Structure formats: C-alpha cells, structure tokens
Amino acid sequence: MAVAVNQPLASGSGLSHGRTGEVCKFHVKMPTITDESKGKLSMGISGPSKVVLDSQHMSDGFAVSFVPLEEGDYQLTIKCDGKHIPGSPFSVAVEKDPEFVPPSFPAKCKASGPGLKKGVALKSCYFSVDTGNAGRSVSLTGMGFCSHCCVVVWLHFILSGLVA
C-alpha cells in the first residue's frame, strides 16, 4: 500500500501486542500541516477491559500509552480528519502476565440484608455483599468484637460476584 507523504503514521509495539498490567506504547508521527482546519487526530480503543489512552504532544506528533487490565484482543483506531490512518484499525493481542493482579474497587461493593440492621445475641444473622462491580481481586474477611462478644463472619464466594 502506497502511503502519501502528508499522512500521519503510527509505529511501536503497542499497536500489535502487550501484557496485562504493563504499559503499551506507540507513536503517531504527524505531517507538517499548514491548513489549521486539517490534521485533527482522534484515537479510541475497545476490548475486554476499559482502557484509557494517555497521549503526550511531541515535536513530531504524539507519544501514546495505555495499560490493559485483562488479556484478550483489543481494537485500536487512529483517525485523522475522520479517516483511518494507514494500518488502522490495529489489532492488539494482550497476553496475561501471571504475576499481575488487577485492581479492585472496594467502594463498589454493595451490602444488603437483615443482618446489617439488627442482630440477636447467640443467633445467626445474614447479609450479602455484592462484589460484581468491584473488580476481580476483591477479598473480604472479617471479625468483629465488642466488649462482651466476638462475631465471626463466614464468607461463601459465589461465581457471580455475590458474597454471602
């Protein structure tokens, strides 16, 4: 494919592959544009996890990076003036880093049930904690104390992300 001299060009390993939890990088070289109405660059990425593209303006274009949190295939689009640049959309294959632990968001856990409102001494009370929106590495444990008792919390993990 012939590439016009005045087209933006992208290069770098982040356009084709990456690993979970690691920074993927690429560079978009922009041509010299004299018409201010031209040269509007837009980028987007979609895949198994939400990814934020971080870009820094450089003298010859943009240095771009992102950190994928889940393994799988991502699609990266780069457009100039609404048209794909050469090679776009790019297929980025992200493999799992076995040592990477995805972030968790404990504030997104939701607790509900009668055991949160009232309890009776020496009687079991129940409640549920929904961890479905909190990420994959949420871990809950607990034990409570008061001046006259010890409360043990038993947790049962259910595949849907609900803990009871």
Side-chain angles (χ1 to χ4, degrees), residues 32-54:
T32 302
I33 298 172
T34 55
D35 184 350
E36 288 187 26
S37 66
K38 304 272 184 194
K40 292 187 172 100
L41 191 68
S42 62
M43 295 179 277
I45 188 166
S46 62
S49 69
K50 183 178 179 181
V51 175
V52 175
L53 293 171
D54 183 35

Side-chain angles (χ1 to χ4, degrees), residues 1 3 5 28 34 45 52 54-55 67 71 81 102 106 117 123 126 136 146 155-156:
M1 173 200 307
V3 177
V5 176
V28 180
T34 55
I45 188 166
V52 175
D54 183 35
S55 64
V67 179
E71 66 183 310
D81 296 326
K117 296 177 182 166
K123 297 265 186 178
Y126 300 92
R136 292 189 175 184
C146 64
L155 301 175
H156 301 281

Side-chain angles (χ1 to χ4, degrees), residues 94-141:
V94 174
E95 64 182 36
K96 183 177 183 169
D97 178 347
E99 295 182 16
F100 173 67
V101 177
S104 61
F105 307 95
K108 292 187 177 185
C109 293
K110 293 183 180 176
S112 62
L116 295 174
K117 296 177 182 166
K118 182 180 176 183
V120 178
L122 303 175
K123 297 265 186 178
S124 294
C125 58
Y126 300 92
F127 64 92
S128 296
V129 179
D130 183 350
T131 64
N133 294 322
R136 292 189 175 184
S137 60
V138 171
S139 175
L140 301 171
T141 58

